[in-house]
Amino acid sequence: MSIRAIILSGGRSNRFGGVHKPAVELGGTTVISRIFGAVRTADPDAEVWVAGPCDGLTAREQESVHSVVEEPAFAGPLAGIAAVCAAFRDASSAASAGVTLVLAGDMPLITADHLGDLIEACQRTGTPATGTDDRGKTQFLCAAWPTELLLSRLDDFGDPTNGAVKWLFSGLELSLVDVEPGVVADFDTAEDLDRIHTRIDEAASTDEAASTQ
């Protein structure tokens, strides 16, 4: 079963001073490269699409992804998802097969294990799979969709410009996957990023301590 991933990188980052969040470095690796790495670890053959700029990916990573920019630019994540789905539907007769991951471009702590759990739950149930964030809210921008269902919902939705991604989920049964909330943490402010820095530093210290034992 084919796996596709959509990484959304087209936001204005207004609350982050206009700095392109996916290209921010954490521990020597950009946010978008961390997400890309998690996808490829979960499934080395995953087809990766970026909705928006590829800034932050290495040259080698950029060679292995497809890039689409929604029109008009900055029309929101739903428009980015729709633009990618339109592109891969045009590019492949098998576009409706498999599972499509929808991932925000500002979630640097996403793990391959969590993505694997989302994919497994989606395949098993035939429903969108997601988890909840540290506020207990459904994380709509870290989800696995049956590709046929995602395409159908977009067709029904109409113009996606400035639409809310949560509307795609309206009326659907979801598969909720257990996840430590920090794994799906995003950042909109410098304070949010500082908290993510702390998590990464703590994880690195734990790994270093374990390696010396």
Side-chain angles (χ1 to χ4, degrees), residues 22-213:
V24 170
E25 284 198 9
L26 289 166
T29 305
T30 64
V31 172
I32 194 170
S33 282
R34 287 175 175 272
I35 298 167
F36 174 87
V39 171
R40 283 289 164 78
T41 302
D43 186 334
D45 298 320
E47 184 178 289
V48 181
W49 292 73
V50 177
C54 288
D55 298 354
L57 291 173
T58 67
R60 184 171 183 178
E61 289 167 345
Q62 290 189 34
E63 290 174 356
S64 70
V65 305
H66 307 271
S67 178
V68 173
V69 178
E70 70 275 12
E71 294 184 7
F74 306 119
L78 185 61
I81 296 167
V84 168
C85 287
F88 72 58
R89 180 153 40 186
D90 290 343
S92 173
S93 60
S96 62
V99 170
T100 296
L101 292 165
V102 175
L103 306 172
D106 62 352
M107 292 185 180
L109 302 180
I110 288 173
T111 66
D113 285 345
H114 182 50
L115 297 183
D117 289 343
L118 292 176
I119 292 167
E120 187 279 329
C122 181
Q123 290 174 331
R124 174 170 43 81
T125 65
T127 62
T130 185
T132 56
D133 63 17
D134 53 5
R135 295 162 294 180
K137 294 183 178 180
T138 302
Q139 185 46 271
F140 297 116
L141 290 180
C142 184
W145 279 83
T147 302
E148 288 184 344
L149 178 59
L150 178 59
L151 296 177
S152 174
R153 296 292 284 187
L154 288 166
D155 286 342
D156 292 342
F157 190 85
D159 183 7
T161 302
N162 298 320
V165 173
K166 67 180 180 180
W167 295 346
L168 286 177
F169 293 78
S170 179
L172 294 180
E173 180 180 351
L174 305 183
S175 295
L176 290 178
V177 174
D178 288 337
V179 59
E180 196 279 311
V183 169
V184 292
D186 58 8
F187 65 98
D188 290 314
T189 66
E191 290 76 16
D192 294 338
L193 186 61
D194 286 343
R195 284 191 286 271
I196 288 173
H197 263 298
T198 298
R199 290 190 182 108
I200 290 174
D201 291 343
E202 289 174 347
S205 296
T206 300
D207 291 344
E208 183 178 353
S211 68
T212 58
Q213 291 179 354

Side-chain angles (χ1 to χ4, degrees), residues 6-26:
I6 300 171
I7 302 175
L8 299 165
S9 73
R12 294 181 186 271
S13 301
N14 286 335
R15 294 175 60 193
F16 201 68
V19 175
H20 185 59
K21 292 190 290 182
V24 170
E25 284 198 9
L26 289 166

